[in-house]
C-alpha cells in the first residue's frame, strides 16, 4: 500500500541556517504530494503541494520538488526563523488510496535564536 | 470568515463515559474527516464522510462513532469501548472526495482518566 517516510527529528538549527527535511514515498499510482505544518497546540495548515512530477511547490520561503525518479519530496528553506519552529508532515493522496491523505510521522523543527 | 471550528479545545472525561467532539465547517465542503494524533506520531484516520448521511470507517474506527446529518457538521463520539481515548483529535474537510487538499480545524485535546 501507499506510505510516506520522513526523516526523524527533532531537527535543531540556528536562525538563518539552511533547512532540509527529507520525505520519500511509496505509491502505486501518481499521487499528489503535500507538506503540512503544525504549530504547538494547533491543527495542521497546508504549507505547499505538488500534483505531478517535476512540479515545485513553494510558500513562505519553503520549497519542495516532486521527484518521481527518486520518489521524494524534500522540504527546503534557505534561511529559517525562530517562528518556523513547528512539526512538519509530508503526505500523499491519490486515487488508489481513495483520495485519503496518508501522512508521514512528522518531523519536529526547533530553530534557536 | 470561512473555516473549521472544533469545540471545546480541551475536554476531560472519566473512564467509561462516552464523549462527543464537535466539528463544524462553513466552507461548503462535501467531504469531512476525523483524525487522531498521538504524541510524536503522525495522523491516523478514524472516519470520513463524502456526503451527507454517508460515512466510512478509516484505519482505526473501533470504539468511535460518527454521524453526518448536515453538510456542515460531523460530530465524533468517543465511546467507552475505545481502549486508549486520550489523544489530540483533528477534524478536516475537503471540497469533494476527489479533492486532494484537506483543511484542518484547531483540534480538541481529550484526556480520559
Amino acid at each position: 500500500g501507499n506510505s510516506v517516510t520522513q526523516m526523524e527529528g527533532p531537527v535543531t538549527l540556528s536562525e538563518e541556517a539552511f533547512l532540509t527535511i527529507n520525505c520519500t514515498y511509496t505509491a502505486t499510482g501518481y499521487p499528489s504530494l503535500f507538506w503540512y505544518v503544525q504549530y504547538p497546540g494547533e491543527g495542521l495548515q497546508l504549507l505547499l503541494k505538488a500534483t505531478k512530477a517535476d512540479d515545485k511547490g513553494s510558500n513562505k520561503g519553503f520549497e519542495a520538488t516532486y521527484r518521481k525518479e527518486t520518489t521524494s519530496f524534500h522540504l527546503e528553506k534557505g534561511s529559517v526563523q525562530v517562528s518556523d519552529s513547528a512539526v512538519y508532515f509530508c503526505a500523499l493522496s491519490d486515487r488508489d488510496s481513495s483520495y485519503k491523505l496518508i501522512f508521514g510521522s512528522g518531523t519536529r523543527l526547533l530553530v534557536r535564536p | 470568515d470561512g473555516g473549521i471550528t472544533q469545540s471545546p479545545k480541551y475536554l476531560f472525561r472519566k473512564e467509561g463515559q462516552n464523549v462527543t467532539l464537535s466539528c463544524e465547517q462553513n466552507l461548503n465542503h462535501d467531504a469531512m474527516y476525523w483524525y487522531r494524533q498521538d504524541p510524536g506520531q503522525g495522523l491516523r484516520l478514524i472516519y470520513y464522510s463524502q456526503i451527507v448521511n454517508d460515512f466510512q470507517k478509516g484505519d482505526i474506527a473501533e470504539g468511535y462513532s460518527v454521524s453526518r446529518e448536515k453538510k456542515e457538521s460531523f460530530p465524533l463520539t468517543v465511546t467507552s469501548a475505545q481502549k486508549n481515548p486520550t489523544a489530540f483529535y483533528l477534524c478536516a474537510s475537503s471540497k469533494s472526495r476527489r479533492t486532494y487538499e484537506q483543511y484542518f480545524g484547531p483540534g480538541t485535546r481529550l484526556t480520559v482518566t
Side-chain angles (χ1 to χ4, degrees):
Chain A
N2 293 353
S3 65
V4 175
T5 302
Q6 286 180 241
M7 63 187 290
E8 286 198 20
V11 173
T12 304
L13 296 173
S14 296
E15 204 164 22
E16 299 183 2
F18 185 85
L19 168 71
T20 300
I21 299 178
N22 290 338
C23 171
T24 57
Y25 67 90
T26 302
T28 52
Y30 300 91
S32 288
L33 301 173
F34 305 87
W35 278 101
Y36 281 85
V37 59
Q38 184 179 34
Y39 298 101
E42 297 184 10
L44 275 67
Q45 300 174 27
L46 179 63
L47 182 59
L48 53 85
K49 66 177 181 179
T51 57
K52 60 183 187 297
D54 300 324
D55 267 3
K56 177 186 280 188
S58 62
N59 186 26
K60 300 181 181 179
F62 291 90
E63 293 182 339
T65 301
Y66 189 147
R67 301 281 188 207
K68 191 163 173 57
E69 64 275 14
T70 55
T71 61
S72 65
F73 193 54
H74 304 322
L75 183 68
E76 297 182 336
K77 187 175 186 184
S79 176
V80 293
Q81 306 300 311
V82 173
S83 57
D84 293 327
S85 298
V87 180
Y88 292 82
F89 291 94
C90 186
L92 70 80
S93 178
D94 69 358
R95 189 171 57 184
D96 292 348
S97 63
S98 299
Y99 303 98
K100 291 181 283 185
L101 273 176
I102 296 173
F103 288 90
S105 56
T107 302
R108 181 174 298 279
L109 170 65
L110 178 60
V111 180
R112 299 193 186 281
Chain B
D1 216 358
I4 301 175
T5 56
Q6 292 185 244
S7 60
K9 191 165 177 68
Y10 299 95
L11 194 51
F12 298 88
R13 280 293 183 271
K14 297 282 190 192
E15 199 173 315
Q17 293 179 336
N18 291 355
V19 58
T20 297
L21 281 60
S22 165
C23 176
E24 305 277 331
Q25 54 99 358
N26 60 5
L27 299 167
N28 200 32
H29 284 175
D30 285 329
M32 296 185 74
Y33 310 81
W34 273 106
Y35 294 89
R36 171 183 171 132
Q37 185 179 24
D38 294 286
Q41 296 189 31
L43 278 68
R44 293 183 289 170
L45 182 64
I46 304 172
Y47 268 97
Y48 63 104
S49 167
Q50 299 166 4
I51 198 167
V52 174
N53 292 323
D54 181 65
F55 48 83
Q56 285 82 40
K57 293 181 179 180
D59 301 318
I60 55 164
E62 186 175 346
Y64 299 97
S65 65
V66 293
S67 63
R68 186 85 187 278
E69 296 175 3
K70 298 186 294 182
K71 185 174 185 177
E72 58 270 23
S73 179
F74 191 41
L76 172 74
T77 298
V78 184
T79 75
S80 55
Q82 167 51 232
K83 290 185 173 56
N84 297 298
T86 294
F88 190 49
Y89 291 88
L90 288 158
C91 179
S93 71
S94 62
K95 197 168 183 181
S96 73
R97 184 181 80 90
R98 296 180 185 276
T99 304
Y100 299 126
E101 284 180 46
Q102 293 182 21
Y103 297 85
F104 284 79
T108 292
R109 186 167 300 281
L110 172 65
T111 303
V112 177
T113 56

